[in-house]
Amino acid sequence: MPPAKQYWLMKTEPSEYSIQDLAKEPHKSTHWDGVRNYQARNFMRDKMKLGDLVLVYHSNAAPPGVAGIAEISQESYPDFTSWDKNNKHFDPKSTQANPRWFMVDIQLKETFKHLIPLEHLRTVPALAKMELLRKGSRLSVQPVRKKEFDTISQIAAKQ
DNA sequence: GCCAACGTTGGC
DNA sequence: GCCAACGTTGGC
């Protein structure tokens, strides 16, 4: 039996890269480069599996919120932008022989008709324990419970 | 291993 | 632009 599908949330600043940018990519997919946090890296490197579903979250936006759903289309491999001196996320301690940072590919499944604002998510009882809503939470790649994912999908379906 | 200093995230 | 809450770095 295949392992149960897992659910995630990944943040992006729409001024840098938005869900609309993802929609314009060939095959609507891209590599999720630039994550430079160990906990977030570990989720991508060790836990994310093909077919897992991802909530795409717009941070540092007006308003911030969940913009749509994507799917893991390629499991982890080294984030090659860490080797590029000219890249914003260059890390001299990451080498090809011993890569420090990893990424996955995601493919867009659905752009919500309307973004679901963070402010609204905070009012939904079923989401009370979401990592995103925890005070001081900054993790840019985080696990989401199935119940939470389904709740957000249903909110999107009704809008 | 402690912890001060510094850098970053991200809501507001 | 502010700033609270974090994460990382590096001296000791």
Side-chain angles (χ1 to χ4, degrees), chain A residues 55 112 116 121 127 130 148-156:
Chain A
L55 297 170
F112 294 159
I116 305 173
L121 299 179
L127 303 179
M130 249 190 116
E148 295 161 349
F149 184 91
D150 290 344
T151 299
I152 290 173
S153 298
Q154 284 161 24
I155 293 169

Side-chain angles (χ1 to χ4, degrees), chain A residues 34-93:
Chain A
V35 172
R36 297 291 180 269
N37 169 281
Y38 290 106
Q39 209 181 340
R41 176 203 67 181
N42 292 347
F43 284 132
M44 290 199 294
R45 187 189 60 186
D46 305 333
K47 303 288 186 190
M48 284 187 173
K49 298 299 173 193
L50 214 58
D52 284 359
L53 294 176
V54 179
L55 297 170
V56 178
Y57 181 84
H58 280 179
S59 62
N60 251 314
V66 179
I69 296 171
E71 168 174 20
I72 304 298
S73 54
Q74 170 69 55
E75 293 179 9
S76 73
Y77 57 104
D79 180 344
F80 50 75
T81 67
S82 70
W83 304 326
D84 176 2
K85 282 196 183 68
N86 298 317
N87 191 282
K88 181 179 173 183
H89 302 290
F90 173 67
D91 180 355
K93 291 176 181 165

Side-chain angles (χ1 to χ4, degrees), chain A residues 9-11 55-59 64-66 116-119 121-122 127-145 148 152:
Chain A
L9 180 145
M10 295 167 98
K11 297 179 185 174
L55 297 170
V56 178
Y57 181 84
H58 280 179
S59 62
V66 179
I116 305 173
L118 177 63
E119 187 182 29
L121 299 179
R122 291 194 187 284
L127 303 179
K129 290 187 176 173
M130 249 190 116
E131 166 68 15
L132 179 74
L133 306 184
R134 202 175 52 79
K135 182 175 160 63
S137 165
R138 302 193 325 192
L139 202 54
S140 64
V141 174
Q142 53 182 261
V144 171
R145 295 174 187 84
E148 295 161 349
I152 290 173

